[in-house]
Amino acid sequence: MFRGFLQNAVFKLVLSLTVLIGVQAESQFPLLEARYQKKIVNQEIIPDSKYLEGKDTFRSRGSEYELERIVGQRGNQPSQFLLPTHVELDGDFIYVTDYGNRRIQKFTTMGEFVEILPLPGLLEPVQFQVHKDQYFVVDAACPCVRVYNKQYEPVFVMGEAGVAPGQLNHPNSLVVDLRGMAWVADDKNNRVEVFSLDKMFNRESHYFMNIDEYQPEVVLQAPRSMAWWPQQKEYFVVDSGTTKILVFDQDGNFIREIIRVGAESNRVVMPQALALDDEGNLYIGDQISQRVLKISGSGAEMGEIGYVSQFSEHLKHSAQEERKPEQVRNSGFVPNDSILNFPLGLAVSPTGGLWVADWGNNQVKLFTVDYFRKGFEAYRTQQFSLAIQYFNRCDVRNPGYHLVEFYLSMCHYYLGELEADFEKRLEWFQKARGYFESLYLKSKVGSFNDAWIEKKALFYLAKVKAVSTER
C-alpha cells in the first residue's frame, strides 16, 4: 500500500505539471555540456559562478587521485623510454626527457606519439622546458643549457664545465621566468646559477649571478629540482642535502623556508622532484616512500599519490586475462600500475592533473581527480552506475555545486527502470524534484533566470510518467 501511495503521489504531481506547461523531448544535455566545457552556468546554491575543476582539484587530497593513463614502456623505439627524467606540459602536448635514450619525445596529452625532437648537438638531456618560442634543454654531458628555436635550430648555449662563476658541474633542473631569466640547479656545485637570454652589463656570456654569491648566508646542499610560481613570482628550490624547500623572489632574495616534509610525524623523506599548481600547492617526488607528496604552500600535508590500487575499480584488470603491453593504457590496470619507482619529473595541468615521469618503471603516468569529466563521459555512454559514483564524489568534494541536470535525468533512469527498489529510486526522484522546485522558485522571483532547466525538469517528469504507466 505504501508503494502504491507513493506512486500515485508522484504521478499526480507529474500530471499537474505537464498540464500546466507543455514539454518537448530533447536528446542533448546542454547544462552538463556547458559544465564540461568550463562555460559559465547557473547552479543551485551558487547561481552566478563558474565551475572551475582545477580549483576544485587543487583542494583535493592525495588519496583522491586516480591513475588515469600510462604512456610508454621500456625500450629504445619511438614512444618507448629508458629512464625518463622529466615531463613538460605545453598546451595539448607533453614533452618527455628520455634520458637513457638521450632524446626528447613529444606526445599529445592523450598519449599519442608525435615525434622525436631533432635537436642538433644534444648529448645527455636531463630536463626540457618550453618558454614562449624557445626550447631550453639541460645537457648534463657539456654540462650546459642549450637553447633552440621552434624550428629546432640552436640559438645559444648557457654555461660550460667548471666550478667558477658562470660554469656548471652537474646541472639537473631549470626554470625560466617571465623575463626569460633561466635559473639552473647544480647539485655538485651546491648552488643555483642564473643566466639571462641577453648578455647584460658587457658580460661575455649569458651568466648573470649565483645565489650563493648574491646571498652568501643562504647555504645550499645539492639542490635537485626547481619550480616557478608565476602568480606570486616566486621560485621554489628542493635542497635534497637538507631535505628542505627554499623559496626566493624573482630577484633572488631569500623569502622563507618550507618546513621539512613530515617532520612532525618523524617521517624520513628525500625530495628529488617538485611541481606547483596555480594555488601554490607543492607536489614532491620522494625517493624514500617512492610516492608524490602533496603539501600546501604553508607546509601542511595533503596526502600521497602513487600507491597500490589508486584507480577506479571499473578500470581494474582481471588477473585471469592475459594483458599485452600497450603504448598507451587508459584501463586494464593492475594494483602495481599505481606504484611509482623513483618519480623524477612532475608537471601539473591547468585542471590539476598530475603527470609523473616514473623513472624506474620507464613510463609516464597521469593521475587525476576529474570526477565530473569521468561522470559526464559515463553518463553519455549510459553507464549510469558508474556515473552515479563519480557525480556523488563530485558532490562530496564540493557540495556547493549541485549537478542539477544529472539529478533530474537520473529521476527518469531510477523511476523508469523496472527494478524492485522503488523506494530507493523514489529517493533520487525526490532529490531531483527538490532541486527543481528550488530553481523554479528562484526563477519566479527573478533571482534565477534559466527557463531551460524548468522545461527540462518537466520533460523528465513527463518521461517518468510515460514509462511508469506502461507497467
Side-chain angles (χ1 to χ4, degrees):
M1 291 183 63
F2 177 67
R3 179 177 301 176
F5 172 77
L6 290 175
Q7 286 176 318
N8 289 333
V10 171
F11 296 154
K12 287 179 181 179
L13 171 66
V14 172
L15 181 61
S16 62
L17 289 173
T18 51
V19 169
L20 291 174
I21 302 177
V23 179
Q24 296 180 352
E26 298 183 33
S27 59
Q28 300 302 315
F29 309 101
L31 183 59
L32 278 176
E33 194 77 51
R35 288 279 301 279
Y36 182 64
Q37 296 177 359
K38 310 297 186 300
K39 295 179 180 178
I40 296 178
V41 291
N42 292 324
Q43 300 171 69
E44 166 70 74
I45 306 299
I46 310 177
D48 298 319
S49 62
K50 179 191 286 188
Y51 180 83
L52 297 175
E53 189 173 15
K55 289 188 178 297
D56 200 2
T57 300
F58 298 150
R59 290 191 290 266
S60 302
R61 298 192 59 80
S63 58
E64 297 176 342
Y65 284 75
E66 291 181 346
L67 176 64
E68 180 170 323
R69 185 167 300 125
I70 297 178
V71 180
Q73 55 185 290
R74 181 183 174 88
N76 57 15
Q77 298 301 309
S79 76
Q80 296 179 338
F81 305 125
L82 183 60
L83 308 177
T85 57
H86 187 255
V87 57
E88 171 79 356
L89 278 172
D90 183 35
D92 295 328
F93 299 98
I94 61 172
Y95 297 84
V96 180
T97 303
D98 188 5
Y99 173 77
N101 289 316
R102 301 191 173 191
R103 63 193 181 184
I104 307 296
Q105 298 197 62
K106 182 179 180 180
F107 299 81
T108 69
T109 51
M110 299 304 295
E112 300 166 342
F113 173 75
V114 178
E115 64 175 334
I116 297 174
L117 301 192
L119 302 175
L122 189 60
L123 300 175
E124 194 174 311
V126 293
Q127 186 175 343
F128 174 93
Q129 184 169 351
V130 180
H131 175 71
K132 296 182 179 179
D133 58 347
Q134 292 179 320
Y135 298 135
F136 290 71
V137 188
V138 177
D139 191 339
C142 296
C144 63
V145 176
R146 299 183 184 273
V147 184
Y148 301 85
N149 59 26
K150 286 295 182 70
Q151 289 72 45
Y152 309 121
E153 300 168 338
V155 178
F156 50 82
V157 175
M158 298 175 171
E160 60 184 5
V163 297
Q167 296 181 331
L168 300 170
N169 194 347
H170 190 260
N172 57 74
S173 177
L174 91 158
V175 292
V176 184
D177 65 23
L178 300 177
R179 305 165 301 179
M181 305 294 285
W183 293 49
V184 183
D186 187 342
D187 60 354
K188 288 188 177 178
N189 275 336
N190 295 315
R191 67 191 182 197
V192 172
E193 290 201 82
V194 183
F195 297 86
S196 61
L197 290 178
D198 301 318
K199 296 179 181 179
M200 306 174 71
F201 308 117
N202 297 318
R203 293 179 183 270
E204 295 182 357
S205 70
H206 294 272
Y207 167 72
F208 185 71
M209 70 174 185
N210 289 335
I211 289 296
D212 60 351
E213 67 180 0
Y214 177 61
Q215 293 198 319
E217 72 281 2
V218 179
V219 178
L220 294 173
Q221 297 180 27
R224 288 289 307 168
S225 183
M226 302 184 65
W228 162 246
W229 189 13
Q231 287 81 354
Q232 297 295 326
K233 298 181 179 178
E234 293 179 344
Y235 298 93
F236 289 69
V237 180
V238 171
D239 194 35
S240 61
T242 60
T243 67
K244 296 178 181 178
I245 298 174
L246 307 179
V247 186
F248 301 84
D249 67 17
Q250 67 173 350
D251 296 321
N253 299 305
F254 175 71
I255 301 176
R256 65 186 182 278
E257 171 188 313
I258 303 295
I259 61 173
R260 299 190 183 193
V261 181
E264 290 80 359
S265 57
N266 296 319
R267 180 172 59 181
V268 178
V269 297
M270 186 181 293
Q272 296 290 302
L274 181 66
L276 272 77
D277 61 33
D278 290 345
E279 296 293 299
N281 298 313
L282 285 76
Y283 302 77
I284 303 168
D286 176 33
Q287 304 312 314
I288 296 294
S289 65
Q290 302 296 329
R291 298 181 181 183
V292 176
L293 312 179
K294 182 175 182 178
I295 68 173
S296 69
S298 62
E301 296 188 23
M302 299 177 66
E304 302 176 349
I305 302 168
Y307 52 85
V308 174
S309 300
Q310 198 166 22
F311 54 84
S312 294
E313 284 298 311
H314 78 283
L315 299 176
K316 192 171 184 178
H317 166 70
S318 172
Q320 287 74 32
E321 299 175 3
E322 180 182 357
R323 188 188 68 187
K324 296 181 180 180
E326 298 177 273
Q327 196 52 50
V328 182
R329 272 194 287 146
N330 299 298
S331 61
F333 299 136
V334 297
N336 284 349
D337 286 334
S338 301
I339 298 177
L340 300 175
N341 187 2
F342 289 93
L344 282 187
L346 308 175
V348 182
S349 72
T351 56
L354 177 67
W355 290 90
V356 182
D358 192 356
W359 185 84
N361 288 321
N362 296 295
Q363 296 171 330
V364 172
K365 297 178 179 178
L366 172 63
F367 294 85
T368 69
V369 199
D370 296 341
Y371 298 156
F372 175 78
R373 175 177 54 79
K374 294 178 180 180
F376 177 75
E377 292 171 351
Y379 185 71
R380 289 202 300 186
T381 56
Q382 298 186 2
Q383 302 177 67
F384 295 115
S385 297
L386 181 60
I388 293 167
Q389 295 176 26
Y390 278 123
F391 282 131
N392 277 340
R393 293 168 78 174
C394 285
D395 218 17
V396 170
R397 287 174 58 210
N398 194 342
Y401 294 97
H402 291 301
L403 305 172
V404 179
E405 187 186 7
F406 167 70
Y407 287 121
L408 294 173
S409 304
M410 292 311 296
C411 80
H412 169 218
Y413 168 68
Y414 272 100
L415 291 178
E417 295 291 329
L418 300 177
E419 298 179 357
D421 55 338
F422 181 82
E423 284 75 14
K424 174 63 177 177
R425 288 179 276 130
L426 183 63
E427 175 186 331
W428 278 84
F429 173 76
Q430 298 287 13
K431 189 172 185 178
R433 185 162 63 93
Y435 288 149
F436 161 70
E437 289 175 346
S438 175
L439 299 173
Y440 183 79
L441 292 174
K442 286 184 178 181
S443 67
K444 288 300 182 184
V445 300
S447 61
F448 192 96
N449 184 20
D450 196 335
W452 179 86
I453 291 182
E454 180 178 341
K455 178 181 177 182
K456 192 75 172 186
L458 293 173
F459 163 67
Y460 281 118
L461 292 174
K463 291 285 287 184
V464 172
K465 175 181 180 295
V467 174
S468 300
T469 53
E470 293 177 358
R471 297 187 296 183

